[in-house]
Amino acid sequence: MKEYKIENHVSSFLPKEKKWKLVWSDEFDGDRLDMTKWNIESGSTATVIKSQDNVKVENGDCVITLRRNHPTDGYEYSSSYVTTANKFSFCYGRLEFRAKLPVGQGVWPALWTLGDNYLEIANDEKGWPLCGEIDVMELVGSSNPQNPFDNKKI
């Protein structure tokens, strides 16, 4: 079994004898997304077109923007998502990230891990669930004050 150590990191929930080795990271320290590590995915849903124009690196952050489009563009909104498909994968280890989440009704940011065969079966008849998925974080935006998951309370 591989062992991983996160250099210069202290964690209270890991046993002291556990040795971790950092195997992948991105601190977004350039002026654009490192395309040796990331893919900017495109595609569409009923009301959203995914566009490379909605991803930028700024002040050490990867910023993904949701924009309202002009009514003649064909899609009401545009956004994007980034993946490491075919660029990095791991089987055992620890995952860490930091994220600032948007606020508002209708937003649904998510951070997932998907199986290595995601791209192979994504367009298959049964689709993505067969590759496996771990939902690290999903936040459903709401403006309902009675909703305990209303992100305006975060």
Side-chain angles (χ1 to χ4, degrees):
M1 181 166 79
K2 296 179 184 176
E3 289 191 347
Y4 300 93
K5 179 179 181 183
I6 305 298
E7 301 294 332
N8 301 320
H9 184 80
V10 178
S11 178
S12 60
F13 66 87
L14 286 176
K16 298 285 187 231
E17 66 276 0
K18 194 70 154 173
K19 294 184 180 181
W20 297 89
K21 176 183 173 192
L22 179 64
V23 296
W24 190 94
S25 71
D26 194 343
E27 304 306 318
F28 303 109
D29 52 3
D31 60 355
R32 63 182 55 162
L33 206 58
D34 182 346
M35 299 311 288
T36 65
K37 297 178 178 180
W38 298 100
N39 305 297
I40 300 174
E41 301 293 343
S42 60
S44 63
T45 62
T47 59
V48 177
I49 182 79
K50 296 171 187 79
S51 169
Q52 293 185 9
D53 297 335
N54 296 62
V55 179
K56 66 181 177 180
V57 172
E58 183 177 85
N59 301 319
D61 297 320
C62 174
V63 180
I64 300 175
T65 304
L66 174 67
R67 293 186 173 96
R68 182 181 296 265
N69 293 331
H70 189 274
T72 60
D73 290 343
Y75 291 92
E76 191 172 353
Y77 299 96
S78 65
S79 186
S80 194
Y81 64 98
V82 295
T83 73
T84 59
N86 292 327
K87 296 188 178 183
F88 177 76
S89 68
F90 67 99
C91 185
Y92 299 104
R94 173 181 161 168
L95 173 69
E96 253 184 49
F97 65 90
R98 63 183 170 84
K100 182 176 179 180
L101 304 176
V103 174
Q105 183 175 359
V107 298
W108 198 327
L111 297 163
W112 306 324
T113 62
L114 297 172
D116 276 347
N117 63 343
Y118 166 71
L119 293 177
E120 296 167 27
I121 65 172
N123 295 319
D124 190 7
E125 187 177 299
K126 295 185 181 170
W128 113 92
L130 297 177
C131 71
E133 172 183 314
I134 297 173
D135 292 344
V136 178
M137 186 284 310
E138 283 194 51
L139 177 69
V140 179
S142 171
S143 63
N144 179 353
Q146 301 303 314
N147 180 351
F149 303 106
D150 185 352
N151 65 359
K152 290 184 179 180
K153 295 178 183 177
I154 291 177

